[in-house]
Amino acid sequence: MNLNSLQNDRAAGVLVALAAGDALGAGYEFGAPLPDGAEVTMKGAGPFGFDPAEWTDDTSMAIPIAEALLDAGPAPAALDAVARAWSAWAAEAKDVGSQTRNVIDAARRTAAADHRSEVTADDFARAAEAFHERTGRSGGNGSLMRTAPLALAYLDREPAELMAQAGVLSALTHVKADAQEACGLWCVAIREAVLTGRLDIRAGLPLLAEDRAGLWLERIETAEASRPRDFTQNGWVVQALQGAWSHHQHARRMQRSRPSAGRTGRSRPRRQRHRYGGRHRRVTGGSRLWFLRRALRMAPEPARLAGPADA
């Protein structure tokens, strides 16, 4: 398949916007909803003492997914690379979700007991399953918050493959069906948005079992009929996805109520096509994940966002 310049731009934007949005919200993490009209800045601080423009564990765990897909493509080897990167990152991270921390520690113990210096994806999956069996809960929002890069590796593949792999990636730390399905729905929606310019959270519903699709449709409709601030339990993956979709719908309604840029006399910026290497780029073979590499390098050096390694 061929990606045009708009599709390449959207694909890069998936990662850039993930990191930027994460850094913007870091200073407000675990806080109460802000009043309407409140100014939101990359102020940092928050419960983990972030620097201004520093992202959280969500982006820190998403980047290894993108990097592993660049190196190995959508293959089992990528999952092992992700597991190793997460384990190394967590050793010094200031912010690791409690469930994720539990899984990483258990995976390390398994590797040590087998006299191995590195963890594997299987170590993670077994530890996550054991956590779920022991506690009866593994529906936190952690796997959803990091899943976006996976969608970019499946633009030229069937949505059903993406849905299935999103579940596998989620289950490295979050086994519950709610978590796996939320990741699948979000990834399929991202894939659709990159290819068509339309973000439709319903795109993945036909790929779920009938009863689960019906449940998720009810949840989506609830999100569309609610305000973002109504989802106060967004540490749960279901409300995290509902809150995100509610924000999207709310922003669209606000946008439709305002004059367009053309009506206010603003001109549209000229697209810099030379930055994208031509109008089309083929997404096959070694170039399939070119846009991931571009996105990871996209931020200009003087103003780049600061990750934990930069602090």
Side-chain angles (χ1 to χ4, degrees), residues 2 35 45 54 89 99 123 126 148 154 156 159 195 206 213 215-216 241 254 258 265 283 289:
N2 291 320
E54 181 181 4
W89 158 77
Q99 180 177 325
D123 294 333
R126 290 174 182 271
Y154 283 78
D156 60 343
L195 294 176
L215 175 60
W216 276 105
L241 187 58
M254 290 183 65
R258 294 172 178 169
V283 188
L289 299 174

Side-chain angles (χ1 to χ4, degrees), residues 171-246:
L172 292 183
T173 54
H174 295 68
V175 173
K176 195 168 183 177
D178 280 341
Q180 295 191 43
E181 291 165 357
C183 289
L185 289 171
W186 195 234
C187 281
V188 171
I190 291 172
R191 177 187 179 276
E192 178 79 5
V194 170
L195 294 176
T196 70
R198 298 185 301 271
L199 183 63
D200 181 10
I201 197 65
R202 291 172 169 79
L205 290 179
L207 303 175
L208 299 177
E210 185 176 355
D211 60 331
R212 298 296 297 179
L215 175 60
W216 276 105
L217 179 58
E218 291 179 8
R219 291 167 168 175
I220 291 168
E221 290 174 343
T222 297
E224 292 169 344
S226 305
R227 301 172 303 170
R229 68 177 59 192
D230 294 335
F231 300 99
T232 58
Q233 304 300 317
N234 55 21
W236 177 35
V237 67
V238 171
Q239 285 210 6
L241 187 58
Q242 286 178 306
W245 188 243
S246 178

Side-chain angles (χ1 to χ4, degrees), residues 25-30 44-51 54-58 93-98 101 308 311:
Y28 304 91
E29 196 169 23
F30 306 119
F48 297 102
F50 292 111
D51 290 334
E54 181 181 4
W55 60 62
T56 76
D57 58 329
D58 299 331
K94 65 174 66 172
D95 173 22
V96 184
S98 59
R101 169 70 75 184

Side-chain angles (χ1 to χ4, degrees), residues 129-298:
E129 185 66 42
F131 179 87
H132 179 74
E133 291 179 357
R134 184 173 68 254
T135 66
R137 56 180 178 84
S138 59
N141 66 20
S143 62
L144 174 64
M145 308 303 279
R146 68 186 187 227
T147 197
L150 183 67
L152 303 183
Y154 283 78
L155 296 180
D156 60 343
R157 295 174 178 243
E158 291 299 316
E161 293 183 61
L162 174 57
M163 174 71 77
Q165 193 61 23
V168 172
L169 183 62
S170 172
L172 292 183
T173 54
H174 295 68
V175 173
K176 195 168 183 177
D178 280 341
Q180 295 191 43
E181 291 165 357
C183 289
L185 289 171
W186 195 234
C187 281
V188 171
I190 291 172
R191 177 187 179 276
E192 178 79 5
V194 170
L195 294 176
T196 70
R198 298 185 301 271
L199 183 63
D200 181 10
I201 197 65
R202 291 172 169 79
L205 290 179
L207 303 175
L208 299 177
E210 185 176 355
D211 60 331
R212 298 296 297 179
L215 175 60
W216 276 105
L217 179 58
E218 291 179 8
R219 291 167 168 175
I220 291 168
E221 290 174 343
T222 297
E224 292 169 344
S226 305
R227 301 172 303 170
R229 68 177 59 192
D230 294 335
F231 300 99
T232 58
Q233 304 300 317
N234 55 21
W236 177 35
V237 67
V238 171
Q239 285 210 6
L241 187 58
Q242 286 178 306
W245 188 243
S246 178
H247 269 287
H248 173 70
Q249 294 297 297
H250 184 69
R252 287 186 63 193
R253 287 192 290 269
M254 290 183 65
Q255 191 175 50
R256 285 195 295 266
S257 70
R258 294 172 178 169
S260 67
R263 290 175 183 169
T264 57
R266 299 192 182 103
S267 61
R268 180 174 295 178
R270 184 177 301 170
R271 180 170 296 281
Q272 297 176 315
R273 291 186 178 178
H274 65 277
R275 292 174 57 194
Y276 304 102
R279 182 172 177 81
H280 292 87
R281 179 170 293 269
R282 191 161 185 80
V283 188
T284 57
S287 67
R288 172 166 38 209
L289 299 174
W290 166 86
F291 39 78
L292 284 180
R293 185 173 286 109
R294 174 180 174 268
L296 288 171
R297 298 174 179 172
M298 188 174 179

Side-chain angles (χ1 to χ4, degrees), residues 102 104-114 119 134:
N102 187 290
I104 290 175
D105 289 346
R108 286 175 180 157
R109 289 194 295 270
T110 298
D114 291 343
V119 297
R134 184 173 68 254

